[in-house]
Amino acid sequence: MGCLDDGHFNVELENGMNICCGENGKDGAVIEDAVKVLLMGLGEDINREGIRKTPLRVAKALREGTRGYRQKVKDIVQGALFPEAGLDNRVGHAGGAGGLVIVRDLDLFSYCESCMLPFQVKCHVGYVPSGERVVGLSKLSRVADVFAKRLQEPQRLANEVCSALHHGIKPAGVAVIFQCTHIHFPDIESVFLDSNHQGLVKIVVSAGSGVFENKNADEWADFFSLLKFRGISMEKIHFRGSSDLSWCPSQSAKVSSKIGTVNPAMVTAVASIIKSLGEDPLRKELRGTPSRFVKWLMNFQNSNFDMKLNGVLNGGIDSLTANKEVDKNTKKICSELNLQFWSQCEHHLLPFHGVVHIGYILSDGFSPIGKSLLQSIVHFYGFKLQVQERLTRQIAETISPLIGGDVIVVVEASHTCMISRGIEKFGSSTATIAVLGQFSTNLATRASFLQGIPSPTSSEH
């Protein structure tokens, strides 16, 4: 559980990271040019209204999301240490001489060094004061955020936060536990084969120094006792060396046969982004990152998937309609709920995902639509550079002529751009709705469908 093996932290406390790039404006321009190469590699028109400013937005988001490279831990900790005496009679531990201090449930995000997608971190950090001094509690969060705002891997992130706090505060010991959640984005082919695809990968990591160096120390028992209501126990902790596999899904992901050879210009563009952020693209852990990111991004290329669905809609719909008898007199609402979707925000090149709820009323002469066709329509519009409002409208407009016009579509999604930039709002979700035919004019009909949408049990779709 030790975290003090590396020797570079004292230097970083004084000087911050060694940034290998130039002026901020120049770096931003390099990133913008690289993003244009990526967009053109996807077959996009970089002058299209929706993505004309995407290079600028992506550059800004990446610079903001990796600002930790340009921050110094010393600037945060220095001046935030306060004198605090221990117990007067020196019996027991409390105050500035013993007594565990823990800050729980800090929400952070970081960028995965293997695939460059954001991952969420629930951070619990504590220390045992010594020298009759304590640190301002907010500084624990700020130091953790400095290291999170870099290209990271969970265990190294925990080690770096623990080591930096130990050197900066000089306590009796520091303990860190991170609950990390990584989006597991399927490729365009596997999503049809695995209807139970798990959208999130989770791992719990820890690091300790001083009195927490030994994972069996009594201090850890106190730490875990204060986390017991969060479902965290020693048995769930990932220890260094306990697994040789990377937690990032991209390390074991199968490459879609539709992607073909990776465009070397796109790979070079991603490498230039990594360098502009302040990292070394030749670092062992980052050497394969540009290629993995491009392979993932190519899922959103304009491809033969478009023609495949168009062929089904034009000539093969009868084979995909549901095998049901419909009472033409009842005109009940047919519905398919919780159809999974995955998409990519065209504004920031960040993923968003969630579920689609579809309701429709059959007109005379039309047959119910099978779930497989509805799911294909959802994926057809999902695997593109998108915005949620357009996605919702396109699904509704595609289904409408297949059932006679009366359709309602609700899309519920989690956007990584909401946590990795701007307001950094964790746990938020976005709902959009499109209504056509009776659903747009009959409030009771619309309300009947909306009331049937199940409440989400969690943010995982």
Side-chain angles (χ1 to χ4, degrees):
M1 276 184 143
C3 67
L4 300 180
D5 300 329
D6 299 322
H8 68 279
F9 288 102
N10 285 329
V11 175
E12 182 169 337
L13 285 171
E14 296 290 337
N15 304 316
M17 285 288 287
N18 179 25
I19 306 301
C20 60
C21 46
E23 297 297 325
N24 290 354
K26 180 180 177 181
D27 297 333
V30 170
I31 296 175
E32 289 182 46
D33 289 342
V35 173
K36 291 177 183 178
V37 172
L38 297 177
L39 291 171
M40 289 186 290
L42 291 174
E44 289 286 347
D45 177 7
I46 60 174
N47 292 314
R48 177 166 66 83
E49 182 61 33
I51 62 174
R52 185 180 302 165
K53 294 184 178 180
T54 293
L56 176 63
R57 287 187 289 256
V58 172
K60 182 179 179 181
L62 285 174
R63 292 281 298 174
E64 180 181 329
T66 57
R67 62 179 180 267
Y69 288 117
R70 301 175 294 279
Q71 294 177 310
K72 301 176 185 178
V73 174
K74 180 181 177 181
D75 292 344
I76 296 174
V77 175
Q78 199 172 53
L81 293 171
F82 306 100
E84 183 64 39
L87 294 173
D88 291 338
N89 58 12
R90 302 300 183 187
V91 177
H93 305 283
L100 175 64
V101 178
I102 178 173
V103 177
R104 302 172 293 192
D105 301 320
L106 300 171
D107 286 318
L108 308 174
F109 86 90
S110 187
Y111 278 95
C112 175
E113 68 178 9
S114 292
C115 66
M116 291 185 65
L117 293 183
F119 66 91
Q120 297 183 46
V121 182
K122 180 75 73 173
C123 172
H124 314 284
V125 57
Y127 75 105
V128 176
S130 67
E132 296 192 342
R133 61 179 185 173
V134 296
V135 69
L137 296 179
S138 66
K139 308 310 177 186
L140 300 178
S141 173
R142 290 186 61 192
V143 170
D145 190 61
V146 165
F147 291 96
K149 293 299 188 294
R150 300 176 181 181
L151 299 183
Q152 277 290 7
E153 176 276 324
Q155 187 60 63
R156 188 176 74 248
L157 174 59
N159 291 341
E160 290 181 344
V161 171
C162 178
S163 186
L165 287 172
H166 190 92
H167 283 98
I169 303 174
K170 294 180 172 55
V174 175
V176 173
I177 290 181
F178 287 164
Q179 297 170 278
C180 302
T181 304
H182 194 307
I183 186 172
H184 185 189
F185 214 106
D187 65 69
I188 199 169
E189 290 181 341
S190 66
V191 74
F192 287 100
L193 301 176
D194 183 9
S195 59
N196 296 315
H197 174 80
Q198 297 298 311
L200 299 173
V201 175
K202 297 185 177 183
I203 190 173
V204 182
V205 297
S206 66
S209 67
V211 295
F212 293 98
E213 187 79 21
N214 185 343
K215 68 179 182 181
N216 296 316
D218 292 342
E219 286 78 6
W220 273 114
D222 295 340
F223 196 99
F224 283 113
S225 293
L226 295 173
L227 295 179
K228 63 182 179 180
F229 297 115
R230 288 156 179 81
I232 302 175
S233 63
M234 180 70 75
E235 292 74 24
K236 294 183 178 181
I237 303 296
H238 172 92
F239 297 105
R240 176 183 285 183
S242 64
S243 174
D244 294 327
L245 298 177
S246 169
W247 84 304
C248 177
S250 72
Q251 295 279 17
S252 57
K254 296 180 180 179
V255 181
S256 171
S257 61
K258 296 186 180 297
I259 291 179
T261 304
V262 176
N263 185 330
M266 297 175 72
V267 174
T268 300
V270 177
S272 71
I273 291 175
I274 292 174
K275 185 175 182 179
S276 295
L277 294 176
E279 265 288 3
D280 178 7
L282 297 180
R283 178 163 64 85
K284 180 180 68 174
E285 296 83 359
L286 292 172
R287 288 173 186 166
T289 299
S291 179
R292 284 188 290 268
F293 180 80
V294 171
K295 290 176 182 177
W296 167 77
L297 190 62
M298 292 304 290
N299 279 301
F300 308 97
Q301 182 183 27
N302 292 327
S303 67
N304 292 332
F305 185 49
D306 292 6
M307 293 184 289
K308 180 179 178 181
L309 182 62
N310 286 332
V312 171
L313 294 178
N314 291 332
I317 191 171
D318 290 342
S319 63
L320 291 173
T321 54
N323 184 21
K324 301 177 183 177
E325 292 295 330
V326 180
D327 185 346
K328 303 300 183 181
N329 296 319
T330 58
K331 296 289 186 180
K332 290 183 178 179
I333 298 175
C334 301
S335 63
E336 286 291 350
L337 308 177
N338 291 320
L339 297 172
Q340 287 193 349
F341 84 91
W342 309 83
S343 195
Q344 177 84 330
C345 172
E346 69 176 29
H347 293 159
H348 303 99
L349 294 188
L350 289 170
F352 66 100
H353 65 105
V355 292
V356 178
H357 312 292
I358 299 172
Y360 59 91
I361 299 174
L362 283 173
S363 297
D364 293 340
F366 291 85
S367 300
I369 304 176
K371 180 178 180 179
S372 61
L373 177 56
L374 292 176
Q375 184 68 80
S376 294
I377 293 172
V378 168
H379 287 324
F380 169 67
Y381 290 111
F383 276 92
K384 298 178 183 293
L385 297 186
Q386 270 287 14
V387 294
Q388 185 172 333
E389 297 87 344
R390 185 194 308 142
L391 171 68
T392 310
R393 172 182 59 81
Q394 289 175 331
I395 293 172
E397 289 179 339
T398 301
I399 295 173
S400 177
L402 303 180
I403 46 81
D406 303 320
V407 63
I408 181 171
V409 175
V410 175
V411 176
E412 297 180 294
S414 297
H415 291 251
T416 41
C417 65
M418 291 290 286
I419 66 166
S420 62
R421 55 173 298 279
I423 62 173
E424 299 184 14
K425 180 63 177 177
F426 290 79
S428 66
S429 63
T430 302
T432 49
I433 184 171
V435 290
L436 296 173
Q438 291 187 47
F439 289 100
S440 66
T441 58
N442 190 320
L443 179 60
T445 301
R446 188 161 69 245
S448 176
F449 174 79
L450 294 175
Q451 290 170 4
I453 294 177
S455 300
T457 56
S458 72
S459 60
E460 300 178 28
H461 294 301

